[in-house]
Amino acid sequence: MKRHIIAILFVAWAFCLIGLFAIVTFYIDRKRDRLRAEIKDNITKLFEGQSSGDAFVSNDDGLFFEDYSGQPVRHYKRISIPKRPGKSSFAAKIDSKIDEKIQDDWYQSYGDLASLYELNWGDKYPNENDEGWNIVRIYCWSDDDDFIQTNTFFPYKVGLKDTDWGNNYSVEQAVNEAFDFYANSPKSRISKRFQKETINQFWSKIYACCNSYFTISENKNVNGWKAGTPICIPKGKNFEQAQRVSPYENGWMQNGFYRVFIAATQEKHFMIKEYEWAAANDKKKFLLWYGIGLSIIFLAFIIPLIIRKNKAKQRREENLYKRLLRQCNPKEFLKEYDKDKVEKANNIYKRILETSPEDTKTLLEILDIVSSDLGVSLIDKEELDDLKNKVNPQNFITPYNSEKVALANELYSQLTQDDLTYRDFLEVKEKAKQLF
């Protein structure tokens, strides 16, 4: 067992490193799932009460923020009221109700207007210099890739109505009252969800929910689009293309004196985005430090065993001369001081140094003196056990060899004697070569 313990430790070390990799991978995966759920739950809590109660999500759902209001409406211009569409024989052939709806839509929008004004939102929206106000809507979905959507409402046209008692309303007054309606009137579908804080403060709360693995980032690859009627068609684009980029009609606010037409910008979509490097860095960090720690623990056992094994190997490979030098050094008898043995060891050690390593006869004479005067046995226990294992007769039973069994039996018997000397040990070691 002692012979194989280093190999066993290396194998255990390898298995522990494999196990460490599996454990760290499992931990990182669970941490990723936890942090994804955490950012999602924390942000979702910020949107409590965002639903209007309808079955489908619309522009009436979400939380609403004043981007700005009360800005002067100065550079508006009067435009022609669209003419009432004529009856379409083609539409009537398909469905008479289509033609009726076209007529009704025009009447609802323009039938009671005396004049119509276009605000100076131009190609820039929102345009806080002239259009009066903006309301920002923000809504939270359940889809990670389309988690938050936000768009902006703003007035883009004002129609003043023709009344029997006159109409003293100005365009700017109509625009300002429209904002007050949306923000404060109980009749407004969004007033209950109109927030006192600014949209920037709310976004700060959203980003505060981000963590070491996940953040909120704009999704630039949104495939969806609004099938509304665009309020403008940019140069070089057709109607369908304009539907994907331009603000679209989003109803109106009206009373007996005016109708303020409202537009909504295309939605911006934000998603839960993972820092691709975060989990990988975390994994590398854990594997590095825990791997180092685990390796230090195993090496603390392995290195001393290797050193011990190498020393034992060196002792087994020592010739008689080197072994006498090592074991007869006077310093070996200074640890547990013995004056007589130190003196004898000193004399023996001197004689060894004066003897040639090839002078086996003299070295064997010194060996006998060492055994009698110093009581030192030069037999190494591990070397003895190793030789016993090699000459054990059991090794030569299968396949059976009678001569080797006989020799091994004789040698093994000598090694088990209590009075075994190093000279005897060397003789057995030499004879054992015949077995292999």
Side-chain angles (χ1 to χ4, degrees):
M1 183 66 181
K2 291 181 179 179
R3 183 179 300 180
H4 303 296
I5 190 168
I6 294 176
I8 292 172
L9 285 173
F10 271 112
V11 171
W13 184 12
F15 274 105
C16 286
L17 289 176
I18 294 171
L20 175 64
F21 181 84
I23 291 170
V24 169
T25 300
F26 178 81
Y27 171 77
I28 294 297
D29 289 344
R30 298 292 77 74
K31 182 178 180 181
R32 181 190 288 112
D33 293 342
R34 175 176 59 81
L35 290 181
R36 181 186 289 277
E38 185 178 284
I39 186 174
K40 194 169 184 177
D41 291 345
N42 290 340
I43 291 177
T44 301
K45 289 177 183 178
L46 299 175
F47 285 87
E48 290 181 357
Q50 68 172 350
S51 175
S52 65
D54 291 342
F56 299 99
V57 177
S58 70
N59 277 329
D60 290 332
D61 290 287
L63 301 179
F64 297 85
F65 299 82
E66 174 188 341
D67 191 11
Y68 59 83
S69 67
Q71 299 291 343
V73 181
R74 297 172 298 186
H75 299 97
Y76 56 89
K77 63 181 179 181
R78 185 165 181 168
I79 59 175
S80 300
I81 297 174
K83 293 181 180 180
R84 183 170 183 169
K87 292 185 178 181
S88 171
S89 58
F90 177 74
K93 288 180 181 179
I94 299 174
D95 189 343
S96 59
K97 292 183 179 180
I98 296 177
D99 192 60
E100 292 176 5
K101 186 177 186 310
I102 293 173
Q103 297 291 321
D104 185 62
D105 286 347
W106 179 91
Y107 182 80
Q108 293 293 331
S109 298
Y110 305 109
D112 55 352
L113 297 185
S115 58
L116 184 62
Y117 299 87
E118 184 178 70
L119 305 185
N120 186 34
W121 51 270
D123 291 330
K124 176 185 176 183
Y125 42 85
N127 182 357
E128 62 184 279
N129 293 322
D130 285 296
E131 70 187 26
W133 53 264
N134 273 184
I135 293 174
V136 178
R137 165 189 171 269
I138 184 167
Y139 184 84
C140 182
W141 296 76
S142 59
D143 185 359
D144 287 359
D145 292 331
D146 195 14
F147 191 48
I148 295 172
Q149 73 161 216
T150 180
N151 61 334
T152 301
F153 304 151
F154 62 94
Y156 73 103
K157 288 192 300 189
V158 174
L160 298 180
K161 295 183 178 182
D162 188 11
T163 64
D164 294 336
W165 51 87
N167 191 344
N168 294 321
Y169 267 87
S170 67
V171 171
E172 185 166 359
Q173 186 179 2
V175 169
N176 292 337
E177 286 190 9
F179 175 81
D180 185 64
F181 169 81
Y182 282 114
N184 302 306
S185 173
K187 295 181 180 180
S188 167
R189 289 177 63 94
I190 69 174
S191 61
K192 291 182 180 180
R193 284 169 282 119
F194 214 92
Q195 307 298 301
K196 294 181 179 180
E197 62 186 330
T198 66
I199 186 63
N200 289 336
Q201 290 173 323
F202 190 72
W203 272 110
S204 295
K205 290 181 179 180
I206 290 175
Y207 283 112
C209 297
C210 299
N211 51 53
S212 58
Y213 279 16
F214 296 95
T215 187
I216 293 296
S217 176
E218 185 174 358
N219 185 0
K220 299 288 188 179
N221 300 314
V222 179
N223 294 320
W225 54 284
K226 287 290 182 181
T229 302
I231 63 174
C232 67
I233 299 180
K235 186 176 180 180
K237 295 187 180 297
N238 57 34
F239 183 86
E240 183 178 342
Q241 291 170 331
Q243 282 184 305
R244 298 176 181 272
V245 296
S246 297
Y248 54 90
E249 296 177 0
N250 193 53
W252 58 73
M253 177 269 167
Q254 69 173 344
N255 59 20
F257 296 95
Y258 57 78
R259 180 176 293 112
V260 179
F261 294 82
I262 307 300
T265 63
Q266 297 290 330
E267 286 84 354
K268 286 186 176 181
H269 296 253
F270 294 81
M271 62 182 178
I272 296 176
K273 181 180 179 181
E274 181 176 359
Y275 297 121
E276 295 181 359
W277 47 265
N281 283 0
D282 240 9
K283 188 174 183 178
K284 289 178 182 177
K285 180 182 69 176
F286 282 117
L287 288 174
L288 174 64
W289 291 111
Y290 283 107
I292 289 174
L294 190 63
S295 298
I296 289 174
I297 292 173
F298 273 95
L299 289 174
F301 289 97
I302 292 173
I303 291 176
L305 288 173
I306 291 176
I307 293 173
R308 182 180 173 184
K309 181 180 179 181
N310 289 336
K311 286 183 176 180
K313 182 181 179 181
Q314 290 173 359
R315 288 196 298 268
R316 286 196 298 271
E317 294 174 352
E318 286 176 335
N319 56 29
L320 180 57
Y321 179 80
K322 289 183 179 180
R323 184 160 299 199
L324 286 169
L325 278 178
R326 177 170 58 83
Q327 292 199 295
C328 296
N329 194 314
K331 70 178 182 180
E332 297 295 323
F333 304 94
L334 291 174
K335 298 174 183 177
E336 295 182 7
Y337 181 68
D338 186 318
K339 180 179 178 297
D340 185 52
K341 285 188 176 182
V342 170
E343 185 176 342
K344 291 178 179 179
N346 187 43
N347 293 329
I348 294 171
Y349 192 71
K350 180 182 177 183
R351 184 179 175 186
I352 296 171
L353 292 173
E354 293 171 348
T355 303
S356 170
E358 286 77 28
D359 189 353
T360 304
K361 181 179 179 182
T362 303
L363 291 176
L364 289 173
E365 291 175 358
I366 295 174
L367 176 61
D368 293 336
I369 297 172
V370 169
S371 300
S372 60
D373 290 3
L374 298 180
V376 173
S377 174
L378 274 65
I379 300 174
D380 182 80
K381 185 179 183 303
E382 289 187 9
E383 190 177 5
L384 176 62
D385 291 340
D386 185 56
L387 187 56
K388 282 182 178 180
N389 289 330
K390 288 181 178 179
V391 302
N392 192 321
Q394 184 69 37
N395 298 335
F396 309 99
I397 297 298
T398 306
Y400 179 68
N401 188 315
S402 61
E403 293 181 0
K404 288 187 177 183
V405 170
L407 177 58
N409 187 44
E410 179 64 29
L411 297 180
Y412 190 82
S413 174
Q414 292 181 44
L415 291 177
T416 57
Q417 298 297 319
D418 292 335
D419 57 350
L420 179 71
T421 65
Y422 189 64
R423 184 192 290 266
D424 298 332
F425 177 81
L426 291 176
E427 291 177 358
V428 171
K429 188 175 181 181
E430 185 63 29
K431 291 179 180 178
K433 293 178 181 179
Q434 302 174 37
L435 297 173
F436 306 101

